């Protein structure tokens, strides 16, 4: 498969994970749109949220729990303390929630 996220999760493209769960990993975006920009992706390939929900809702739950964990950790690291974060669920062509926030301390 020619999926960049599959290459990252399998180690073909090296990266440092900022967090990991049974079914998902989180890592810094290579081209951040915010000072703190983390991608959270499932370890297995899914084309979109519908695909993931249909095939394995347990993985979706695990993915969202990791998003929440990473967001909570990010909110404590930014100055001034950030309250909101964005989590666009990008569904085309690949599933990868992003967690973005303000400036890291």
């Amino acid at each position: 498969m020619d999926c960049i996220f599959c290459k990252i999760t399998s180690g073909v493209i090296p990266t440092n994970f900022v967090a990991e769960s049974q079914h998902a990993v989180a890592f810094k975006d290579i081209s951040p749109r915010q000072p703190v920009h983390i991608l959270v992706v499932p370890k297995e390939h899914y084309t979109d949220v519908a695909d993931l929900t249909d095939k394995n809702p347990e993985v979706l739950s695990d993915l969202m729990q990791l998003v929440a964990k990473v967001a909570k950790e990010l909110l404590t690291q930014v100055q001034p303390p950030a309250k909101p974060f964005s989590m666009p669920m990008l569904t085309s062509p690949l599933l990868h929630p992003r967690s973005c926030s303000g400036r890291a301390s």
Side-chain angles (χ1 to χ4, degrees), residues 10-44:
S10 69
V12 172
I13 296 175
T15 190
N16 294 320
F17 298 137
V18 298
E20 185 171 0
S21 66
Q22 181 179 356
H23 299 288
V25 295
F27 52 92
K28 293 181 180 181
D29 192 302
I30 194 169
S31 299
R33 294 184 178 186
Q34 296 291 330
V36 179
H37 187 161
I38 305 296
L39 297 174
V40 183
V41 301
K43 292 179 179 178
E44 294 180 35

Side-chain angles (χ1 to χ4, degrees), residues 38-105:
I38 305 296
L39 297 174
V40 183
V41 301
K43 292 179 179 178
E44 294 180 35
H45 183 87
Y46 297 94
T47 55
D48 55 33
V49 175
D51 181 40
L52 176 54
T53 302
D54 291 343
K55 290 181 180 174
N56 202 332
E58 294 168 13
V59 172
L60 178 58
S61 175
D62 182 74
L63 177 77
M64 297 311 294
Q65 289 176 35
L66 186 59
V67 168
K69 176 185 173 192
V70 169
K72 286 177 187 175
E73 290 174 4
L74 287 176
L75 295 179
T76 64
Q77 295 177 13
V78 295
Q79 293 297 327
K83 293 179 184 169
F85 70 97
S86 67
M87 192 194 72
M89 187 72 73
L90 302 181
T91 58
S92 180
L94 305 166
L95 169 70
H96 60 285
R98 297 180 294 167
S99 183
C100 305
S101 190
R103 301 209 175 275
S105 57

